[in-house]
């Protein structure tokens, strides 16, 4: 019998010719991995493969890199530069240092627009998250119909301009179906977009309707990750559906809910097209959100330097709000662990 040994573990090999019945074994150490020489050879082959694939990889990512540089990196850097200049398109930018920022702190319209935007964000976050959460739980616990889940997503597939036009017709004070129904029930119609008190809630309602399906599907995906055994244990302990929703579902969905809130805040701070189509910032600046004010400064008054300053301030505000939310809500930690 021929035996090759490398340690204590024996591996049979093909017997030699002329030695019937011979058993050859290769002995290796239990639990020991490849030798240093084998690892070095594997690393050499991997490095050679990476060098061969590098040109193809660079060629494939080149369009994305060019697109990012042209449409994101350059406009961002150009905007930061213009925020320190006095620029009116027809003349070259004139460096004015921090003059635009000093004007920003004393601009009453800017602070009014910021307050209007924060009001819109609060309504969108509170009602949007609550309605999306309830919708997702109903989809998860009551029905398994993929058709119904697709129908919930339909408003998200419509462009903001189309959604705003449809709701503008539906909320029209004389011909809108909503006001016809209200007048039939109460005898009065409501100026949803023509009243200072109703303008922002009406715009927030359109935004909530538009994004509700998308956020509900995100929360629905989070519900799929919660083990069914947790709810079974809750039923064994005698918890009602409402108690399990409050003490099990909501805490276990915290990372997903934080993501939904952060996305809602970012989208709401950037609202523009819905406002432009329905109210154009009126009546009497009641819906003049920050993006609307920036648009007016840039493309109606051609004061691109000051508009860039307000855009930079909004960018810094969004970064601060987002990181604060993620830090306070412990978005990276899951209670399922």
């Amino acid at each position: 019998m021929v035996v090759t040994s490398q340690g204590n573990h024996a591996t049979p090999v093909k017997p030699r010719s002329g030695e019937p019945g011979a058993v050859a074994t290769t002995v290796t150490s239990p639990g020991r991995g490849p030798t240093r020489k084998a690892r070095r050879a594997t690393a050499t082959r991997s490095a050679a493969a990476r060098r061969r694939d590098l040109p193809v990889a660079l060629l494939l990512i080149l369009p994305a890199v060019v697109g990012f540089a042209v449409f994101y990196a350059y406009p961002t850097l150009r905007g930061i530069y213009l925020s320190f200049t006095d620029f009116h398109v027809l003349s070259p930018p004139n460096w004015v240092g921090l003059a635009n920022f000093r004007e920003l702190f004393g601009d009453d319209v800017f602070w009014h627009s910021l307050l209007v935007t924060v009001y819109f964000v609060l309504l969108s976050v509170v009602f949007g998250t609550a309605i999306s959460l309830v919708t997702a739980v109903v989809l998860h616990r009551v029905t398994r119909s993929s058709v119904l889940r697709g129908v919930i997503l339909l408003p998200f597939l419509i462009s903001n301009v189309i959604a705003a036009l449809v709701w503008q017709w539906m909320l029209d004070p004389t011909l809108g179906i909503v006001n016809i129904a209200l007048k039939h029930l109460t005898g009065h119609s409501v100026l949803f977009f023509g009243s200072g008190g109703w303008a922002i809630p009406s715009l927030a309602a359109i935004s909530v309707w538009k994004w509700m399906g998308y956020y509900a599907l995100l929360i629905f995906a989070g519900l799929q990750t919660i083990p069914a055994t947790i709810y079974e244990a809750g039923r064994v302990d005698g918890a009602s559906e409402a108690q399990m929703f409050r003490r099990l579902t909501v805490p276990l969905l915290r990372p997903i809910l934080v993501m939904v809130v952060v996305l809602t805040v970012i989208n709401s701070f950037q609202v523009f097209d819905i406002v432009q189509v329905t109210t154009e910032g009126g009546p009497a600046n009641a819906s003049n959100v920050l993006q609307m004010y920036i648009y007016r400064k840039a493309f109606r008054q051609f004061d691109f330097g000051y508009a860039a300053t307000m855009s930079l301030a909004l960018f810094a505000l969004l970064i601060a709000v987002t990181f604060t939310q993620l830090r306070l809500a412990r978005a990276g930690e899951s209670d399922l662990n």
Side-chain angles (χ1 to χ4, degrees):
M1 180 174 67
V2 178
V3 177
T4 59
S5 61
Q6 294 179 357
N8 302 323
H9 184 70
T11 302
V13 297
K14 185 178 181 181
R16 292 181 179 177
S17 175
E19 297 182 5
V23 177
T25 58
T26 301
V27 181
T28 59
S29 300
R32 183 178 294 178
T35 62
R36 180 179 301 176
K37 185 178 180 181
R39 291 197 299 269
R40 189 182 301 114
T42 302
T44 304
R45 286 194 297 271
S46 300
R50 285 196 296 269
R51 284 195 295 272
R52 287 195 303 271
D53 294 342
L54 182 60
V56 178
L58 292 177
L59 183 62
L60 291 176
I61 66 172
L62 182 61
V65 173
V66 172
F68 176 81
V70 172
F71 297 107
Y72 289 94
Y74 174 74
T76 301
L77 297 177
R78 177 73 172 172
I80 294 174
Y81 166 71
L82 290 179
S83 66
F84 295 94
T85 66
D86 183 20
F87 180 48
H88 295 271
V89 183
L90 298 179
S91 58
N94 180 31
W95 182 268
V96 294
L98 298 177
N100 288 334
F101 292 91
R102 287 192 291 269
E103 181 181 352
L104 186 70
F105 282 105
D107 189 348
D108 294 334
V109 180
F110 171 79
W111 294 110
H112 171 77
S113 300
L114 182 59
L115 290 177
V116 170
T117 307
V118 170
Y119 180 35
F120 176 84
V121 170
L122 288 176
L123 292 178
S124 300
V125 169
V126 173
F127 290 101
T129 306
I131 294 174
S132 300
L133 176 60
V134 172
T135 304
V137 171
V138 170
L139 288 177
H140 182 255
R141 303 298 294 273
V142 176
T143 180
R144 295 182 181 275
S145 171
S146 58
V147 175
L148 184 58
R149 294 168 188 171
V151 170
I152 294 295
L153 191 61
L154 281 180
F156 175 68
L157 304 179
I158 303 173
S159 73
N160 287 340
V161 174
I162 299 300
L165 284 173
V166 170
W167 278 100
Q168 188 180 30
W169 295 334
M170 293 176 64
L171 300 179
D172 186 86
T174 55
L175 302 177
I177 187 172
V178 175
N179 263 318
I180 291 176
L182 284 176
K183 198 168 184 178
H184 180 72
L185 294 174
T186 65
H188 302 282
S189 58
V190 178
L191 295 174
F192 288 102
F193 298 122
S195 168
W198 278 100
I200 287 298
S202 301
L203 295 171
I206 297 174
S207 179
V208 169
W209 173 81
K210 175 76 175 55
W211 289 90
M212 182 266 292
Y214 177 68
Y215 296 141
L217 282 187
L218 291 180
I219 298 173
F220 179 81
L223 288 170
Q224 304 279 12
T225 64
I226 301 178
T229 53
I230 293 179
Y231 292 107
E232 293 173 1
R235 293 190 188 93
V236 171
D237 292 339
S240 63
E241 289 292 329
Q243 289 173 327
M244 286 194 291
F245 174 77
R246 182 164 52 89
R247 297 182 178 179
L248 295 178
T249 302
V250 174
L252 293 177
L253 279 176
R254 181 174 48 77
I256 300 295
L257 293 177
V258 171
M259 184 181 67
V260 169
V261 170
V262 169
L263 290 176
T264 307
V265 169
I266 293 174
N267 288 329
S268 301
F269 264 106
Q270 296 177 341
V271 63
F272 169 74
D273 36 18
I274 295 177
V275 181
Q276 171 68 15
V277 171
T278 54
T279 65
E280 295 187 357
N285 284 335
S287 61
N288 189 21
V289 295
L290 203 50
Q291 290 282 7
M292 193 72 202
Y293 186 44
I294 293 173
Y295 169 78
R296 284 177 173 173
K297 277 290 180 181
F299 296 99
R300 293 185 181 179
Q301 302 178 16
F302 299 104
D303 191 354
F304 282 88
Y306 188 59
T309 304
M310 289 192 289
S311 299
L312 185 61
L314 177 60
F315 178 66
L317 177 63
L318 282 178
I319 289 179
V321 170
T322 301
F323 278 98
T324 302
Q325 286 179 310
L326 295 177
R327 186 64 181 270
L328 293 179
R330 298 181 291 119
E333 303 175 15
S334 174
D335 294 334
L336 284 174
N337 298 329

